[in-house]
């Protein structure tokens, strides 16, 4: 009788067990929460304020990976410096690349700026293309659907709930898309320079040109000669804005602004990258609001 009772309790426990989902960045965590709802436990490895290229693989991350049913990454080599070692040392067969418990979201969108060749003299170039595709708001519903399909694959009994959650999220998102599109159609910001090619997906979506970057090459800090050349370049180009992300140094953008009169704006890139960015809706609300000039 005790054995039967134990089996019944074990079955009930498994029936109500939540999927353990580990993701690399907070924006993915927010998507998983919207789609997975109460059926998942989700945790992001990185903080939104951190440089997404350089996350230190702590022992606690390996422990979390060991327990995960599903690992979701940005992909396009953005996590190349930390996620392979976490996967390897987790000894978790479920989250190995090629398994159902591993999901690379970069496979579901079209990447831009794919290099013809990759070499050290070109800086920190990503072979697959620009990895910051999450900053095109039109990619978000595509990625949400990919997450839904993988959750359904791993947890078929709760698939109707994931479907419903996805439909609710996409409906809200499409309403905001119409609002963001309308506001961006009225922006007078047409040319910018960026510290890093972080916002190109957003800028391309709304027809805004990146004239140059403060980095001379991806991942390479600016030197005085490059900065002076930038100042000479932007003056006749009618550049409207200098875009500064939250994790690179700001003194160079401030200096260029002081010499050219071009204002600089600090833009968030992820959920949690600024204190007021609590979710993906906040992220794009803030970015769009920054272009209402």
């Amino acid at each position: 009788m005790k054995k039967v009772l134990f089996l019944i309790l074990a079955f009930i426990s498994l029936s109500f067990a939540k999927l353990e989902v580990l993701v690399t960045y907070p924006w993915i965590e927010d998507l998983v929460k919207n789609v997975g709802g109460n059926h998942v436990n989700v945790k992001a490895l990185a903080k939104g304020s951190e440089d997404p290229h350089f996350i230190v693989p702590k022992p606690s991350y390996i422990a979390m990976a060991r327990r995960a049913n599903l690992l979701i990454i940005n992909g396009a080599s953005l996590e190349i410096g930390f996620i392979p070692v976490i996967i390897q040392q987790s000894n978790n067969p479920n989250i190995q690349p090629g398994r159902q418990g591993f999901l690379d979201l970069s496979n579901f969108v079209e990447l831009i700026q794919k290099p013809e060749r990759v070499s050290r003299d070109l800086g920190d170039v990503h072979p697959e293309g620009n990895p910051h595709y999450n900053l095109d708001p039109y990619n978000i519903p595509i990625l949400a659907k990919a997450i839904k399909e993988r959750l359904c694959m791993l947890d078929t009994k709760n698939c109707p709930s994931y479907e419903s959650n996805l439909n609710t999220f996409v409906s809200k998102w499409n309403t905001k898309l119409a609002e963001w599109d309308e506001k961006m159609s009225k922006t007078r910001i047409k040319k910018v320079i960026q510290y890093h090619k972080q916002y190109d997906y957003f800028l391309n979506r709304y027809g805004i040109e990146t004239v140059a970057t403060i980095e001379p090459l991806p991942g390479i800090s600016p030197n005085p000669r490059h900065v002076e050349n930038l100042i000479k370049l932007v003056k006749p180009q009618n550049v409207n804005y200098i875009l500064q992300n939250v994790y690179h140094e700001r003194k160079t953008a401030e200096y260029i602004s002081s010499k050219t009169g071009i204002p600089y704006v600090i833009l968030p890139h992820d959920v949690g990258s600024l204190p007021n960015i609590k979710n993906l809706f906040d992220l794009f609300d803030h970015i769009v609001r920054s272009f209402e000039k």
Side-chain angles (χ1 to χ4, degrees):
M1 190 65 184
K2 289 183 179 179
K3 191 173 182 179
V4 172
L5 182 59
F6 173 81
L7 290 173
I8 292 173
L9 291 173
F11 176 78
I12 292 173
S13 177
L14 287 173
S15 298
F16 287 95
K18 296 183 178 183
L19 278 181
E20 296 294 332
V21 182
L22 186 64
V23 306
T24 46
Y25 302 112
W27 71 265
I28 306 176
E29 180 182 24
D30 191 55
L31 265 186
V32 174
K33 286 179 178 178
N34 276 283
V35 177
N38 295 326
H39 300 299
V40 301
N41 289 323
V42 57
K43 177 66 177 177
L45 295 176
K47 296 178 182 178
S49 56
E50 292 181 295
D51 184 340
H53 304 81
F54 302 108
I55 307 300
V56 178
K58 302 175 183 177
S60 59
Y61 296 169
I62 297 169
M64 286 188 282
R66 192 169 291 128
R67 298 190 299 268
N69 303 118
L70 174 62
L71 172 65
I72 306 178
I73 70 169
N74 182 101
S77 296
L78 187 58
E79 299 103 334
I80 194 66
F82 67 97
I83 204 64
V85 68
I86 291 174
I87 292 174
Q88 181 182 21
Q89 294 190 19
S90 73
N91 293 318
N92 182 348
N94 297 319
I95 63 169
Q96 301 300 313
R99 301 295 296 268
Q100 290 185 357
F102 178 84
L103 181 62
D104 181 341
L105 292 177
S106 69
N107 292 326
F108 298 89
V109 296
E110 185 175 351
L111 301 179
I112 63 173
Q113 300 165 357
K114 297 180 182 180
E116 294 183 2
R117 68 183 182 92
V118 177
S119 173
R120 286 185 178 274
D121 63 334
L122 298 176
D124 186 17
V125 175
H126 297 275
E128 299 91 341
N130 189 318
H132 305 295
Y133 58 80
N134 63 300
L135 291 174
D136 180 350
Y138 277 78
N139 280 340
I140 297 300
I142 298 170
L143 302 170
K145 182 181 178 183
I147 290 171
K148 183 272 299 182
E149 290 176 350
R150 189 56 56 95
L151 292 178
C152 282
M153 186 183 298
L154 295 172
D155 183 21
T156 55
K157 68 180 182 301
N158 288 314
C159 191
S161 178
Y162 301 141
E163 290 272 8
S164 177
N165 292 343
L166 174 67
N167 292 337
T168 299
F169 173 76
V170 170
S171 178
K172 292 179 181 178
W173 194 262
N174 286 340
T175 298
K176 292 296 290 186
L177 270 180
E179 176 188 320
W180 296 326
D181 286 352
E182 182 181 5
K183 290 180 177 180
M184 290 303 298
S185 71
K186 299 174 182 177
T187 185
R188 290 180 291 176
I189 308 298
K190 299 301 179 185
K191 291 184 178 182
V192 301
I193 63 173
Q194 305 180 66
Y195 192 101
H196 177 73
K197 286 193 172 184
Q198 189 135 27
Y199 302 97
D200 282 19
Y201 286 90
F202 182 87
L203 299 173
N204 288 359
R205 172 62 61 184
Y206 293 110
I208 299 170
E209 178 186 352
T210 297
V211 173
T213 58
I214 294 177
E215 289 179 323
L217 292 170
I220 305 299
S221 299
N223 56 61
R225 183 176 180 180
H226 176 71
V227 173
E228 293 306 318
N229 287 338
L230 262 184
I231 291 171
K232 293 175 184 178
L233 171 69
V234 300
K235 282 184 176 179
Q237 289 279 346
N238 295 319
V239 171
N240 307 114
Y241 254 172
I242 302 167
L243 305 185
Q244 172 72 41
N245 56 33
V246 302
Y247 55 85
H248 279 120
E249 53 86 15
R250 301 177 188 179
K251 62 181 181 181
T252 306
E254 292 171 351
Y255 177 77
I256 295 171
S257 178
S258 70
K259 293 297 182 180
T260 62
I262 301 169
Y264 81 96
V265 60
I266 298 171
L267 287 185
H269 67 284
D270 199 345
V271 173
S273 54
L274 290 175
N276 62 314
I277 311 300
K278 306 298 184 184
N279 53 55
L280 281 162
F281 291 96
D282 291 344
L283 176 64
F284 285 99
D285 273 338
H286 187 110
I287 294 174
V288 169
R289 193 160 53 244
S290 298
F291 282 85
E292 290 186 284
K293 307 291 182 183

